[in-house]
Amino acid sequence: MSSIFGTNLKISIFGQSHAPAVGVTIDGLPVGEPIDMDRLRAFMARRAPGGKTWSTQRREADEPEIVCGIAGGRTCGAPLTVLIRNTDVRPGDYSAFSDTPRPAHADYTGRIRYSGWNDFSGGGHFSGRLTAPLCAAGGICAQILSRRGIEIGAHLLRAGGAEDAPFDPAGVTAAQLQQVRSAAFPTLLESAGIQMQAAIEQARQDGDSIGGVIECAAVGVPAGFGSPIFDGVENRIAQAVFGIPGVKGLEFGSGFAGSGRRGSQNNDAFTVSDGEVRTVTNNHGGLLGGITSGMPILFRIAMKPTPSIYKPQQSVDLQSMTAAELTIKGRHDPCIAVRAVPCAESAAAVALTDILMDGAYAQWN
């Protein structure tokens, strides 16, 4: 069941890029939770396509329609389903790819896996379009977490040779996360955002694309949640994060940089602050042994360059099994990492909501 995520909370994503709609069903939500639709629309608008030079020119309103699971404006215990209509569809743009797979896409692997019955229009069920329902689920879970003092925020840390200021691993605040969530371009430093947008625009003019690194943090998560071995917080966040098309890498805390240090440099000393055990630094990214430490949870994800580019590429004709040159047309993001920022927040939100419900359901009601 590859489209279902969660243990206590079941997130089931459905739809295809150029189908009439995409959507998500969420089963197991705490009951009596109010859902602020204006806040949900604002959250999803950060991911929505169209209207920006650094985004695809496909235009979708991404208006969330809650068709069940709400009574009197609050969750009622029934599975909650959100429908998002696809209106600006052009499946004909992809007819040339039925037998000629696009490099770095799932066209070939999907064809093999599903014996040629996969929908290749816009990537079908492999498309980044499916992050719209992920953001619907994440936006709902973020509201539930926020009411319990947990805030999640992300920004574009690196793209096109430009770098934003990183979050302070031990001192990032809820106010900072709220600030970057409301930014027109998802960076802490306006100057970094300007440089990134220039690099994205240059790639677009060149008929090419660039990748990027997203940094995400969650603050206010209590200590003691999670489990070791296969059910750690890292494991469950990772499963949700890798549901975002284009993710090719993930690190927590000091991550790969920490592997080049000595233990004396990377270990986080314990201290007592305001009667609580904390760490002076936060190289562990808020997680020790798969369990939350009470420090901010911090992770970074690497997004590959958008595989759909306008330059001619080498492929094969699967009917004749001969070489073929491929030129992709249509509407594509020159940098998918920008619109993936709220997707990273959503992955963290659904995973943390699921995790915090482990054996502690009473605190949610």
Side-chain angles (χ1 to χ4, degrees), residues 11 24 26 40 43-44 131-145 152 342-343 345-351 353:
I11 309 291
V24 62
I26 313 170
L40 180 59
F43 184 86
M44 294 183 63
T131 58
L134 173 63
C135 282
I140 289 169
C141 288
Q143 292 185 32
I144 293 172
L145 294 172
I152 300 170
C343 303
E345 296 173 13
S346 295
V350 298
T353 302

Short mmCIF file of all heavy atoms in Angstrom, two decimals, residues 11 24 26 40 43-44 131-145 152 342-343 345-351 353:
data_model
loop_
_atom_site.label_atom_id
_atom_site.label_comp_id
_atom_site.label_asym_id
_atom_site.label_seq_id
_atom_site.Cartn_x
_atom_site.Cartn_y
_atom_site.Cartn_z
N ILE A 11 -2.66 8.23 6.46
CA ILE A 11 -2.73 9.23 5.39
C ILE A 11 -2.73 8.48 4.06
O ILE A 11 -1.75 7.82 3.71
CB ILE A 11 -1.52 10.19 5.44
CG1 ILE A 11 -1.32 10.77 6.84
CG2 ILE A 11 -1.64 11.28 4.39
CD1 ILE A 11 -2.36 11.72 7.28
N VAL A 24 -6.65 13.42 -0.55
CA VAL A 24 -6.11 12.65 0.56
C VAL A 24 -7.23 12.31 1.53
O VAL A 24 -8.16 13.10 1.75
CB VAL A 24 -5.00 13.44 1.29
CG1 VAL A 24 -5.53 14.74 1.90
CG2 VAL A 24 -4.32 12.60 2.38
N ILE A 26 -7.61 11.13 5.52
CA ILE A 26 -6.88 11.06 6.79
C ILE A 26 -7.78 10.34 7.80
O ILE A 26 -8.85 10.84 8.15
CB ILE A 26 -6.52 12.46 7.33
CG1 ILE A 26 -5.92 13.32 6.22
CG2 ILE A 26 -5.56 12.34 8.50
CD1 ILE A 26 -5.76 14.78 6.60
N LEU A 40 -5.63 26.90 6.12
CA LEU A 40 -5.25 25.78 5.27
C LEU A 40 -5.03 26.25 3.83
O LEU A 40 -4.07 25.83 3.18
CB LEU A 40 -6.35 24.70 5.31
CG LEU A 40 -6.10 23.45 4.45
CD1 LEU A 40 -4.82 22.75 4.86
CD2 LEU A 40 -7.29 22.50 4.55
N PHE A 43 -1.69 27.97 3.61
CA PHE A 43 -0.59 27.01 3.65
C PHE A 43 -0.41 26.35 2.27
O PHE A 43 0.72 26.25 1.77
CB PHE A 43 -0.88 25.94 4.70
CG PHE A 43 0.23 24.94 4.89
CD1 PHE A 43 1.27 25.21 5.77
CD2 PHE A 43 0.25 23.75 4.19
CE1 PHE A 43 2.31 24.30 5.95
CE2 PHE A 43 1.28 22.84 4.35
CZ PHE A 43 2.31 23.11 5.24
N MET A 44 -1.52 25.94 1.66
CA MET A 44 -1.43 25.25 0.37
C MET A 44 -1.04 26.19 -0.76
O MET A 44 -0.44 25.76 -1.76
CB MET A 44 -2.76 24.58 0.07
CG MET A 44 -3.08 23.44 1.03
SD MET A 44 -4.61 22.58 0.60
CE MET A 44 -4.19 21.92 -1.00
N THR A 131 1.97 16.22 -4.29
CA THR A 131 2.34 16.90 -3.04
C THR A 131 1.25 17.89 -2.61
O THR A 131 1.28 18.37 -1.48
CB THR A 131 3.68 17.65 -3.19
OG1 THR A 131 3.59 18.60 -4.26
CG2 THR A 131 4.81 16.66 -3.45
N ALA A 132 0.30 18.18 -3.49
CA ALA A 132 -0.82 19.04 -3.08
C ALA A 132 -1.64 18.37 -1.98
O ALA A 132 -1.91 18.99 -0.94
CB ALA A 132 -1.69 19.42 -4.28
N PRO A 133 -2.08 17.11 -2.15
CA PRO A 133 -2.77 16.46 -1.03
C PRO A 133 -1.89 16.23 0.18
O PRO A 133 -2.38 16.24 1.32
CB PRO A 133 -3.27 15.15 -1.64
CG PRO A 133 -2.53 14.96 -2.91
CD PRO A 133 -2.17 16.32 -3.39
N LEU A 134 -0.58 16.01 -0.03
CA LEU A 134 0.32 15.91 1.12
C LEU A 134 0.28 17.20 1.92
O LEU A 134 0.24 17.18 3.16
CB LEU A 134 1.75 15.61 0.67
CG LEU A 134 2.81 15.66 1.77
CD1 LEU A 134 2.56 14.59 2.82
CD2 LEU A 134 4.21 15.50 1.17
N CYS A 135 0.28 18.35 1.22
CA CYS A 135 0.23 19.63 1.91
C CYS A 135 -1.13 19.86 2.57
O CYS A 135 -1.21 20.53 3.60
CB CYS A 135 0.55 20.77 0.95
SG CYS A 135 2.32 20.93 0.61
N ALA A 136 -2.19 19.32 2.00
CA ALA A 136 -3.50 19.41 2.65
C ALA A 136 -3.46 18.68 3.98
O ALA A 136 -3.90 19.21 5.02
CB ALA A 136 -4.58 18.84 1.75
N ALA A 137 -2.92 17.46 3.98
CA ALA A 137 -2.80 16.70 5.22
C ALA A 137 -1.84 17.38 6.19
O ALA A 137 -2.12 17.49 7.40
CB ALA A 137 -2.32 15.28 4.92
N GLY A 138 -0.72 17.87 5.66
CA GLY A 138 0.26 18.55 6.51
C GLY A 138 -0.27 19.83 7.11
O GLY A 138 0.00 20.15 8.27
N GLY A 139 -1.04 20.59 6.31
CA GLY A 139 -1.62 21.82 6.82
C GLY A 139 -2.61 21.58 7.94
O GLY A 139 -2.68 22.36 8.91
N ILE A 140 -3.38 20.50 7.84
CA ILE A 140 -4.32 20.15 8.91
C ILE A 140 -3.56 19.70 10.15
O ILE A 140 -3.86 20.13 11.28
CB ILE A 140 -5.28 19.05 8.41
CG1 ILE A 140 -6.25 19.64 7.38
CG2 ILE A 140 -6.04 18.41 9.56
CD1 ILE A 140 -7.07 18.61 6.63
N CYS A 141 -2.57 18.83 9.97
CA CYS A 141 -1.79 18.35 11.12
C CYS A 141 -1.01 19.49 11.78
O CYS A 141 -0.86 19.52 13.01
CB CYS A 141 -0.82 17.26 10.67
SG CYS A 141 -1.64 15.69 10.28
N ALA A 142 -0.53 20.45 10.97
CA ALA A 142 0.20 21.59 11.53
C ALA A 142 -0.69 22.41 12.47
O ALA A 142 -0.21 22.93 13.49
CB ALA A 142 0.75 22.46 10.41
N GLN A 143 -1.97 22.54 12.13
CA GLN A 143 -2.89 23.26 13.01
C GLN A 143 -3.07 22.51 14.33
O GLN A 143 -3.11 23.13 15.41
CB GLN A 143 -4.24 23.44 12.32
CG GLN A 143 -4.20 24.38 11.13
CD GLN A 143 -5.59 24.64 10.54
OE1 GLN A 143 -6.59 24.64 11.26
NE2 GLN A 143 -5.64 24.87 9.23
N ILE A 144 -3.18 21.20 14.26
CA ILE A 144 -3.35 20.38 15.46
C ILE A 144 -2.11 20.50 16.34
O ILE A 144 -2.20 20.66 17.56
CB ILE A 144 -3.62 18.92 15.07
CG1 ILE A 144 -4.98 18.81 14.38
CG2 ILE A 144 -3.54 18.00 16.27
CD1 ILE A 144 -5.27 17.45 13.78
N LEU A 145 -0.93 20.44 15.73
CA LEU A 145 0.32 20.55 16.49
C LEU A 145 0.49 21.94 17.08
O LEU A 145 0.93 22.10 18.24
CB LEU A 145 1.51 20.22 15.59
CG LEU A 145 1.61 18.77 15.09
CD1 LEU A 145 2.72 18.64 14.06
CD2 LEU A 145 1.86 17.82 16.25
N ILE A 152 6.33 24.18 13.13
CA ILE A 152 7.23 23.63 12.11
C ILE A 152 7.43 24.67 11.02
O ILE A 152 6.47 25.34 10.61
CB ILE A 152 6.63 22.35 11.49
CG1 ILE A 152 6.41 21.29 12.57
CG2 ILE A 152 7.54 21.80 10.38
CD1 ILE A 152 5.61 20.10 12.10
N PRO A 342 7.09 23.93 1.64
CA PRO A 342 5.96 23.55 2.48
C PRO A 342 5.69 22.04 2.48
O PRO A 342 5.07 21.52 3.42
CB PRO A 342 4.77 24.31 1.87
CG PRO A 342 5.18 24.61 0.47
CD PRO A 342 6.67 24.80 0.52
N CYS A 343 6.19 21.33 1.46
CA CYS A 343 6.05 19.88 1.44
C CYS A 343 6.91 19.25 2.54
O CYS A 343 6.50 18.27 3.18
CB CYS A 343 6.45 19.31 0.08
SG CYS A 343 5.53 20.00 -1.30
N GLU A 345 7.65 20.72 5.37
CA GLU A 345 6.91 21.00 6.60
C GLU A 345 5.76 20.00 6.76
O GLU A 345 5.49 19.53 7.88
CB GLU A 345 6.37 22.42 6.58
CG GLU A 345 7.44 23.50 6.56
CD GLU A 345 6.84 24.89 6.38
OE1 GLU A 345 5.60 25.04 6.51
OE2 GLU A 345 7.61 25.83 6.08
N SER A 346 5.09 19.69 5.66
CA SER A 346 3.96 18.78 5.71
C SER A 346 4.39 17.37 6.10
O SER A 346 3.73 16.70 6.89
CB SER A 346 3.26 18.75 4.34
OG SER A 346 2.71 20.00 4.04
N ALA A 347 5.50 16.91 5.52
CA ALA A 347 6.01 15.59 5.87
C ALA A 347 6.33 15.52 7.36
O ALA A 347 6.01 14.53 8.04
CB ALA A 347 7.26 15.27 5.04
N ALA A 348 6.96 16.58 7.88
CA ALA A 348 7.27 16.62 9.31
C ALA A 348 5.99 16.65 10.14
O ALA A 348 5.89 15.98 11.18
CB ALA A 348 8.14 17.83 9.62
N ALA A 349 5.00 17.41 9.69
CA ALA A 349 3.76 17.56 10.46
C ALA A 349 2.98 16.26 10.56
O ALA A 349 2.50 15.89 11.64
CB ALA A 349 2.89 18.65 9.84
N VAL A 350 2.83 15.53 9.43
CA VAL A 350 2.08 14.29 9.49
C VAL A 350 2.84 13.24 10.30
O VAL A 350 2.24 12.47 11.08
CB VAL A 350 1.73 13.76 8.08
CG1 VAL A 350 0.84 14.75 7.35
CG2 VAL A 350 2.95 13.43 7.26
N ALA A 351 4.17 13.21 10.16
CA ALA A 351 4.96 12.24 10.91
C ALA A 351 4.92 12.53 12.40
O ALA A 351 4.72 11.61 13.22
CB ALA A 351 6.41 12.23 10.41
N THR A 353 2.64 14.24 14.10
CA THR A 353 1.30 14.00 14.63
C THR A 353 1.11 12.52 14.89
O THR A 353 0.60 12.11 15.94
CB THR A 353 0.23 14.52 13.65
OG1 THR A 353 0.43 15.91 13.42
CG2 THR A 353 -1.17 14.32 14.22
#
